[in-house]
Amino acid sequence: MYRVKYLLNLSIRFHSTLTPKFNPWYDYRAYLDQVKTYINRLNPYIELDLRSAALNWDYILNNENLQTIANNIKQRKENESVDIEHILTLHRDIQNLFHRIEDKKLDSIQGEDQIKLKIQDLYNHAIRIPNNTHPDIPIGNQEQARTLRVVGKKPETNIPRQTIDQIGQELNLMQLENMGHVSFRGAYALFGDFARLERALMYYAFEKLTQNGFKMVSVPDIIHRGIIESCGFATRGKRSQVYQLDYGEEFGRYCLAGTAEMPLAGLLKHNTFRKDELPLKLAACSRCYRAELPGGKGEGNLYRVHEFTKVEMFAVTTNDEKVSQEMHDEIVRIETSMYEDLGLHFRILDMPTEELGLSAYRKYDIETWMPAKEFYGEISSASNCTDFQSRRLHIKYINDNGDEQFVHTLNGTAMAIPRMLTAIIELNWNPETKQIQIPKPLRSLMGNREFISKSSSTPSTQWIKFLS
Amino acid sequence: MILIRRRLQFFFHEIRRTLIAERIPQYKERSALLPGGLNTPFPIVVEPDIDLELLFKSHEQLQENLQQRHWIVDVKKVEHDYQVWKNLNKQIAEATARRTRPEELHQWSEQLYSLNAKFLVACLRLPAPLHGAVPETGTRKLLYEYGSQRKSSLTMRSWRDLAEVTSLDVAPFSSFAFGEFAQLEYILLNYFNKSLDAYNIQMCSTVNIVKSFVIEAFGYHFSDIKNVFNIVAENDDDENNVELLHLFGTSTPLGIVSPFIRTNFPKDILPYYVYSIGRNYNPHSGQSSCIELLAFSNEHSQHLLLDDHHKAGDERAKNFEDMLKKSISSSGTINPNEVNLKSNSIDFIYIQLATIITSFYHRLNLPLRVCLSPTYELLSYESLRLTIEVYLPSQIDYVRVGSVSLIDDYLARRLMIKHNSDNKSYVAMIHARVADVSQLSKCVLEASQTIGRGIKLPSVLVNR
């Protein structure tokens, strides 16, 4: 039908002496190119050299994909607010405006202003559309997570075990009480061997990652909000976990990174790789800041904290789904090997749709057994973001035909320190000897010692209870 | 047209700024350390205690201190307020004893309340007294120099060429470092970590973010959005309930002191030494990795210029300086087992720490110099500062990599850090930046380059 109309149109043009009229319905390709040009001209972050996201407009604005996109949004509970029908309505409005300008029913200057506003609106809505979902992953909430593998043996649950803060207080190596008066609620300080164990875990992760071909990067913790948003995290609004800085000219222009994935992705913005440069494997250790909601008593005091140290993996592959899936598996293999060597009991889960963030196409979580609170707690998460982040940050590669394609990006937690500390300390604590056995791989990083025991060098300072 | 647009931008920016300031009630307050009024958004966490009598004991010393630091303060006005404040307190005490009419008492109390808000806050912001060894001249005093400066040459490359470092607009406060240069940072951190462990100094890992009263004790202002990274944490349930926090880093004196605020040290634990490894955030110098050390003692410095009897450059201060010089000069041959860290004399601890830290740089075999900073370089909480600088050939100058600062009881009085369970026993403190690893790695990289054979790190860094 379209072709017939097009031919008819051509014939009219052929005989007509007037310049051919642009019709957004008939000349859909030309119209879409115009829309893309308008979108490219949008400048989402004035002070940041980052062009507007190159979303897959052909796919998003195609009526045939309406149901698929709508279903995907519905399955991912977090993004219910995005309405694909509204996006398509805006798209039709824009088409109408183009048409009315061509038909001289609308003043061209006035019409262009209206188009610009509609396109801005369309862009703002489309940017919130989540990534596609891998067809094999379970649909639903956390309960539906599919266990892929269980490693190690679950410790006996009938023995009451002490929590990390009880052990920390007993050994005089941790301060939790009253730290909320000087910093965030739930802040903590580690002393002596607990602080050393924290660093040992970090160095252990570095060693493992460099052995596996990851390149170390030292990253900034304060980054522009544009990068955080391009990675699929909201910086504003009630559900945001991002801390905004009130520094300098604009409130919230710079934010604190919640994970090293953000600065690493930002580092690669507007980069085009040769195919032989991929896969690119980067690793970074950063201080992560998150406006987390306080956890329940069942999770322990070091489970949801506002600031913590984390070692993160970040990988870039070609846009071949098989290749990025292989990299995803490799990230999980490295994580598994590290945690297995540390003697932890854990399970690997294929996370269901409602647990995926905006950017993830597929996500594997690793949950370890937290002996004192007796639950499986997430210690690691590995996501394949396909081209979600690369389209927003313009990270490309040149394929064999010489064409530029968007890369696939992946990320995974190598070591989330406070949760790892909790699991290791609670698991290896011997209440009779009052000692913690240091896992073998960490001993060389802890002065070749086998145990952590009570320290006399930490002063048992007392909080001054009453003010005059 | 451009001018109009700029004006408009400025105008909208001002409106936005006002709206934000309106939403953050903390910005309207005078002090977080000494909050006033019933509806203050700042909770009272500590009770600062300044020895006003000692502060105003010598007009000359106070005036001299402020002048040398290049501070503009109307000392006469502050002293006048002090007299009024003293008289009011006296009158109230007498009136209470005499059981005067409540109206009269109430009137005086109100006067005192408003004076407290201004005068006491002003006193809290006055700088620490100077140490006798602070150079009298406006320039640095060189105490010690080691190694020959390697001049820049055709075969020498700058750290920018040797290291993989990128600066991007996504993070204007810090650059990205890759591969071996990023690893070098961790190698150096590990080196200092092990070196400090040899002295049995305790390691600690603490917070990067602190509340407003903490930064105020250090002389920063919580609404100074150009010099401090402020974080506005909004409460999910109540939009009007916002918390103001500040990002400084665990490797700053603010981060490392935080577990000891409003605490009492047990009797026998002092002197106590603690260090931390981590981030340091500063809007001007950016993000860096540092190692910070804090020493606590129950003995105060003997060389602070508190009254007219003490004079800069007097015999005792001269002795202290000579001892410091001599000790640092011998830092190349120091043996950790022979170092005395048990003494409670804060002046002695200062000399020992300066020597120990200099010895770490000696082992790296880098050209270094140790200087005493002039007064105008001191921060408000510092009484004396010694800086350790390492030569950076590409810059044809020395860069500051470490420092040792005498704080005495300046912070302890503001942040309630006591000992002996005694109401007035405040600890004396020394803060040392053992290493600014981000700066030092540049120096190590340039000094370790070889012609055509890559980087050859000093032997102490090779063995992990």
Side-chain angles (χ1 to χ4, degrees), chain B residues 149-324:
Chain B
Q149 301 160 11
R150 192 175 160 186
K151 296 283 182 288
S152 197
S153 68
L154 279 175
T155 52
M156 178 169 266
R157 291 155 72 195
S158 125
W159 65 272
R160 285 183 190 84
D161 304 326
L162 295 164
E164 293 176 83
V165 181
T166 308
S167 294
L168 290 173
D169 56 354
V170 299
F173 305 106
S174 174
S175 48
F176 292 85
F178 306 87
E180 284 177 352
F181 190 60
Q183 271 175 330
L184 178 61
E185 195 175 300
Y186 289 102
I187 292 172
L188 282 167
L189 286 173
N190 202 18
Y191 162 71
F192 285 103
N193 188 352
K194 281 194 167 181
S195 304
L196 286 165
D197 284 350
Y199 289 92
N200 283 326
I201 297 177
Q202 196 173 36
M203 189 180 172
C204 128
S205 165
T206 177
V207 291
N208 284 266
I209 289 165
V210 287
K211 288 197 171 165
S212 302
F213 75 92
V214 183
I215 75 158
E216 199 180 319
F218 280 83
Y220 298 97
H221 200 267
F222 50 83
S223 64
D224 182 4
I225 55 161
K226 284 191 177 150
N227 296 305
V228 179
F229 287 126
N230 283 4
I231 300 167
V232 180
E234 287 175 69
N235 194 320
D236 271 2
D237 310 321
D238 181 6
E239 269 184 24
N240 297 320
N241 186 0
V242 289
E243 195 177 10
L244 189 64
L245 294 145
H246 312 275
L247 178 76
F248 273 84
T250 184
S251 263
T252 55
L254 295 97
I256 195 169
V257 83
S258 54
F260 307 100
I261 292 170
R262 195 174 155 181
T263 56
N264 215 330
F265 275 88
K267 216 175 182 182
D268 308 320
I269 199 84
L270 295 174
Y272 172 64
Y273 304 87
V274 65
Y275 74 94
S276 80
I277 303 175
R279 300 281 208 231
N280 183 314
Y281 306 95
N282 183 309
H284 306 295
S285 54
Q287 176 185 312
S288 54
S289 291
C290 295
I291 301 186
E292 305 277 311
L293 187 145
L294 216 52
F296 300 86
S297 174
N298 52 9
E299 277 184 27
H300 296 266
S301 175
Q302 301 296 310
H303 307 294
L304 293 183
L305 308 176
L306 294 165
D307 51 44
D308 296 332
H309 302 298
H310 294 90
K311 287 216 162 58
D314 74 0
E315 205 53 43
R316 282 165 64 198
K318 202 115 195 89
N319 281 344
F320 171 85
E321 200 185 301
D322 290 341
M323 275 173 70
L324 184 64

Side-chain angles (χ1 to χ4, degrees), chain A residues 25-43:
Chain A
W25 283 281
Y26 297 157
D27 306 321
Y28 184 73
R29 202 66 0 243
Y31 152 75
L32 207 59
D33 285 344
Q34 284 216 35
V35 171
K36 283 180 193 171
T37 314
Y38 271 105
I39 289 171
N40 282 341
R41 277 188 213 144
L42 296 175
N43 195 357

Side-chain angles (χ1 to χ4, degrees), chain B residues 24-63:
Chain B
I24 303 163
Q26 283 89 339
Y27 285 167
K28 292 174 199 155
E29 295 293 307
R30 190 188 289 267
S31 170
L33 202 53
L34 212 64
L38 287 172
N39 299 320
T40 173
F42 292 118
I44 298 171
V45 183
V46 288
E47 269 176 354
D49 174 18
I50 326 163
D51 192 344
L52 291 172
E53 210 168 303
L54 199 66
L55 184 67
F56 294 105
K57 198 170 181 181
S58 165
H59 171 83
E60 279 74 33
Q61 290 291 7
L62 183 60
Q63 184 88 39

